[in-house]
Every structure is written in structure tokens, then in C-alpha cells.
Amino acid sequence: MSYLIDSDVLITAKNSYYAFDLCPGFWDSLLTQHHAGQVHSLDRNRQELLQGRDDDELVKWVNDSVPANFFLSCNSTDVVAAYTEVMLWVQRNSQYFDSAKAKFATGADGWLVAYAMVNGSTIVTLEESRPESRNQVKLPDVCLQFGVVYQDVFAMLRALQVQYNHKEAN
């Protein structure tokens, strides 16, 4: 199984429970699983991540440690066609306010769903489904509409059998 990591997973991990100074093993495990062909993200997510400050640890990690092929290209004809289908559904959905549709159109979430539709990937996100939402198009709700599997980072780590073991510092 191939996993596509949403930007929110990396941003939240950096800012809280998997901070670089607290759990470097998390970041190492992502790269290990990437090298095994299991974990990727998209070029559109990379753009979102690099909007941070140059001295931000996540920006440094993306620029200095992550191989270029971690971020897959969305430029294939099939992915672009699937993205068009996703965006048409969002734009035609009268449930959402225009501001929610506009915000969704500028982010990477639609591309994640499109890529996963075409390639059978599982999306990893921290967002939760909110089918009644009108002011925000939630990634899990779009996944459900298009039959795309999604899960949180902890489910992915368990499926990949990743463990972080305590080691005393010297």
C-alpha cells in the first residue's frame, strides 16, 4: 500500500508530538518508509510546506533531507482529469459557501484526492469528516465522495509497524 501524506500531518507533527528535537525517529521513519516505496506526498504539498520561514525546521527538513522523489508530480493526464472531476463536484455542491470552495481550490487537498483516485493510494491526514460543514470543504468528505481511503498518521504508522523505542541519551 502506498500512503500520501497531507501537509497538515507534517506541520502538526513538527509543532507538537513529533517535534524534531523530541522525536527525530518520526522523521527518520518517514524517509525509511519512503525509500521502501510506501510513503510519499505531492508536489502541491511541498509548495504548501515551503511557505514557512527559511529558518523553520520543517522547511529545512524538506529542503535538506527529503529526496525530490518524495513529492510526486500531479502533472499526469489521468491525475489532471481526476482533479477536474473533484473540482467540478466541489464547485457544483450547493452545500458549501463560495468562500469554502475558493479556499479548497487553492490548496493541495483536491490534488491528493485526484492522485489517490488514479493510483489507489491511501491519504494520510489529521482532518476529520464533517459532512454538515458549509464553511469548509473537508478532505475526508471529498475522499468519501470519490471512494478514496483515508486514515490518520497513527493508523499509517501502525500499518507500517513503525515503533519508536526509548533510548537513554549519553
Side-chain angles (χ1 to χ4, degrees):
M1 178 178 296
S2 172
Y3 296 95
L4 289 176
I5 307 288
D6 188 12
S7 304
D8 73 330
V9 170
L10 301 175
I11 293 167
T12 302
K14 180 222 28 152
N15 290 333
S16 59
Y17 45 83
Y18 292 139
F20 284 92
D21 64 331
L22 184 64
C23 191
F26 172 76
W27 305 96
D28 293 342
S29 70
L30 288 179
L31 296 178
T32 298
Q33 294 299 326
H34 165 70
H35 291 303
Q38 300 296 308
V39 172
H40 294 87
S41 193
L42 297 180
D43 52 3
R44 309 299 167 133
N45 295 99
R46 183 178 191 277
Q47 292 170 0
E48 288 181 353
L49 295 170
L50 293 180
Q51 290 176 0
R53 300 182 330 260
D54 287 340
D55 64 343
D56 181 273
E57 288 176 298
L58 185 53
V59 171
K60 287 181 182 179
W61 182 74
V62 168
N63 283 330
D64 299 342
S65 300
V66 178
N69 66 352
F70 184 90
F71 296 100
L72 302 170
S73 173
C74 294
N75 291 332
S76 78
T77 304
D78 292 343
V79 172
V80 171
Y83 177 75
T84 301
E85 184 181 345
V86 169
M87 292 311 298
L88 284 173
W89 177 81
V90 169
Q91 293 303 318
R92 293 176 178 162
N93 193 322
S94 60
Q95 170 182 334
Y96 299 114
F97 295 136
D98 287 343
S99 58
K101 295 174 185 182
K103 184 174 185 208
F104 186 83
T106 63
D109 289 356
W111 290 104
L112 282 168
V113 175
Y115 194 95
M117 286 169 59
V118 170
N119 295 286
S121 304
T122 296
I123 295 176
V124 180
T125 185
L126 295 176
E127 283 189 36
E128 295 180 5
S129 174
R130 284 197 12 233
E132 74 289 345
S133 176
R134 296 182 51 73
N135 62 354
Q136 201 173 24
V137 181
K138 300 299 266 180
L139 177 55
D141 297 325
V142 181
C143 288
L144 291 169
Q145 173 64 32
F146 289 96
V148 170
V149 177
Y150 72 94
Q151 59 187 219
D152 66 28
V153 66
F154 306 108
M156 177 195 72
L157 293 171
R158 284 186 180 98
L160 294 172
Q161 300 179 345
V162 173
Q163 294 183 343
Y164 306 118
N165 296 307
H166 174 73
K167 181 174 105 177
E168 290 294 326
N170 294 336

